[in-house]
Amino acid sequence: MSARKYDEDFKKSIVTLYQTGKSQSQLSKKYGSSLSTVSIWVKQYSEVKLDDNSVISAHQIKELQKKKCHA
């Protein structure tokens, strides 16, 4: 069985549904993704509010770290 590719907008929409009250299990069943995949997306795309009221996701932090390492 080959791995499916999901675009970033789809992943973010799943995380938004999770944040509005759907369980990871419900989302996994409804959209055909594994529970572990949904869990990873929630970790990557859930946003954190910083002290200066800006918002950043774990995915954005990882991208910034990559850019810093290649600079």
Side-chain angles (χ1 to χ4, degrees):
M1 185 173 189
S2 64
R4 290 190 206 170
K5 297 283 184 181
Y6 297 97
D7 67 25
E8 197 167 332
D9 289 335
F10 177 78
K11 295 174 186 178
K12 287 179 180 179
S13 68
I14 296 297
V15 173
T16 299
L17 290 170
Y18 171 74
Q19 291 171 335
T20 59
K22 300 288 185 192
S23 73
Q24 290 182 13
S25 179
Q26 288 172 317
L27 295 168
S28 171
K29 289 176 187 172
K30 183 171 183 175
Y31 295 99
S33 300
S34 71
L35 184 56
S36 61
T37 297
V38 173
S39 178
I40 289 168
W41 294 344
V42 168
K43 288 176 187 172
Q44 284 181 332
Y45 293 100
S46 289
E47 295 180 336
V48 176
K49 193 174 202 179
L50 302 176
D51 291 339
D52 65 355
N53 289 329
S54 61
V55 177
I56 192 164
S57 70
H59 181 73
Q60 290 171 312
I61 292 169
K62 194 175 271 189
E63 290 299 315
L64 289 170
Q65 287 172 331
K66 283 182 189 176
K67 287 180 183 177
K68 184 178 178 184
C69 289
H70 291 98

